[in-house]
Amino acid sequence: MNSARVFEVVEVAEKAAIASAAFNGRGDKVAADQAATTAMRDAFNAMNFSGRVVIGEGERDEAPMLFIGEELGRGGEEIDIAVDPLEGTNLCAANAANALCTIAIAPRGALLFAPDTYMQKIAAGPQARDAIDIDAPVADNIHHVAESLGKPVSEMCVCVLERERHTKLIADIRKTGARIRLIGDGDVYGALATALPHTGIDLYMGSGGAPEGVLACCALKAVGGAFMGRLRFDLDVHGKEKRERALKTAQLDLDAPLTMDMLVRSDDAAFIASGVTHGELLDGVRFDETSVTTSSILMRACDHSVRFITTQHQRS
């Protein structure tokens, strides 16, 4: 994918962030998500490419826009797209930190068609890329990552989604003496934060959405980090039906550990996020009388580059 195409997608994320930021703190997560989704879809459809949504807002009959399998664009280069138009809808509604508009793109066929179910995940930054194993005990993973980072376990910080299903995981982490950073929403950020030193997060563990797992994997692949996953249909009330659908589309062992190269099968992939609310990773959208300012991150696997992009948009 050429750089011009990638920067076009940055603009897509910026437009979605501006649209959803109008709802920051207004308590309406549905309207915020709809605004981001509509802006993102309209922007993609204005591009000269052939985009296919492999990760989106659910199946065709569940979401009117950006559904899995939807074709976007005016025609041209064939690109796979993974999106979470507003990652952290509750965060936006409450004007809490780290709501993001997220997109991953790669050549056609490179991104896993991830079923809309749960995924067990473990993620770490580049220094610990060989230290994690999703099948290993919690304590072993923490000790191995601590050793890779050259720090005592007592200084380790593990990020976990605050969910009832993680009660045992949280207890197991605390038994090691490591610290925990609990987050209410936004596990793309949680996994990505392991590769960014200023966040203070060393390891991400727990179960969240499988689509968000592919997005996070794309970002970590770009910076040489580590990610492993495993689909968890057993955590989903509709898991049996979703498993049957996944058997037709996923083309992989649904019970096996998923490596980075299984989730993102190309180095010609990019991850883009634009901040909606202010957070540790990105500033949120800022409005003033004459302009709107966005803050975005672009991560590319082809050259392991990370760009922070601040754009000032004139208000019409």
Side-chain angles (χ1 to χ4, degrees):
M1 297 180 296
N2 62 50
S3 294
R5 171 82 63 229
V6 175
F7 279 98
E8 276 187 286
V9 179
V10 174
E11 293 177 1
V12 173
E14 291 172 344
K15 290 175 181 177
I18 292 169
S20 54
F23 295 89
N24 283 353
R26 299 189 185 278
D28 192 342
K29 68 177 185 179
V30 175
D33 192 35
Q34 184 65 58
T37 302
T38 300
M40 193 173 281
R41 185 176 192 268
D42 289 348
F44 273 130
N45 274 330
M47 290 175 57
N48 293 316
F49 81 136
S50 295
R52 179 183 64 172
V53 178
V54 297
I55 292 169
E57 295 283 89
E59 305 295 331
R60 185 186 187 109
D61 59 349
E62 296 172 355
M65 298 184 182
L66 293 176
F67 54 83
I68 296 169
E70 182 174 3
E71 300 287 339
L72 299 169
R74 296 175 173 174
E77 182 182 12
E78 295 187 335
I79 299 292
D80 274 353
I81 305 168
V83 298
D84 191 343
L86 181 55
E87 215 256 331
T89 55
N90 288 320
L91 301 176
C92 176
N95 204 12
N98 299 317
L100 304 169
C101 294
T102 59
I103 304 170
I105 56 171
R108 184 65 58 94
L111 298 179
L112 176 72
F113 258 98
D116 184 19
T117 189
Y118 286 92
M119 179 186 285
Q120 180 187 351
K121 309 169 191 178
I122 184 168
Q127 287 180 271
R129 62 172 298 136
D130 298 319
I132 64 170
D133 181 352
I134 200 166
D135 287 327
V138 169
D140 287 1
N141 276 304
I142 292 172
H143 280 89
H144 291 157
V145 171
E147 184 178 355
S148 297
L149 298 178
K151 61 169 58 178
V153 169
S154 61
E155 293 183 10
M156 284 282 293
C157 182
V158 184
C159 185
V160 181
L161 268 176
E162 190 172 11
R163 298 289 188 271
E164 185 177 349
R165 63 180 178 270
H166 291 149
T167 299
K168 184 179 184 303
L169 171 62
I170 291 168
D172 288 344
I173 294 170
R174 288 191 167 134
K175 284 179 184 176
T176 70
R179 294 178 292 118
I180 294 178
R181 166 76 181 276
L182 291 173
I183 57 174
D185 291 285
D187 70 340
V188 172
Y189 164 77
L192 175 57
T194 63
L196 302 172
H198 66 276
T199 66
I201 294 171
D202 302 305
L203 182 63
Y204 179 84
M205 303 180 82
S207 298
E212 289 83 356
V214 177
L215 284 157
C217 180
C218 191
L220 287 163
K221 189 180 182 78
V223 294
F227 184 95
M228 291 186 72
R230 174 180 277 112
L231 296 173
R232 293 291 306 273
F233 294 97
D234 57 306
L235 298 175
D236 195 323
V237 294
H238 301 293
K240 183 178 180 180
E241 294 87 348
K242 290 182 178 181
R243 182 184 178 89
E244 290 174 356
R245 286 204 299 266
L247 285 169
K248 300 175 184 177
T249 61
Q251 298 180 343
L252 80 164
D253 184 342
L254 297 181
D255 300 307
L258 302 173
T259 65
M260 296 186 80
D261 289 337
M262 294 169 71
L263 294 165
V264 182
R265 298 183 287 268
S266 173
D267 285 336
D268 190 14
F271 172 84
I272 298 105
S274 289
V276 177
T277 60
H278 295 294
E280 295 154 295
L281 175 62
L282 295 168
D283 288 336
V285 178
R286 298 193 302 273
F287 296 91
D288 63 30
E289 291 183 1
T290 60
S291 65
V292 180
T293 303
T294 55
S295 176
S296 304
I297 188 170
L298 165 60
M299 310 170 79
R300 299 193 68 181
C302 62
D303 57 4
H304 296 301
S305 62
V306 179
R307 293 178 174 87
F308 288 91
I309 302 166
T310 300
T311 306
Q312 188 176 74
H313 312 259
Q314 293 303 307
R315 302 184 76 163
S316 54

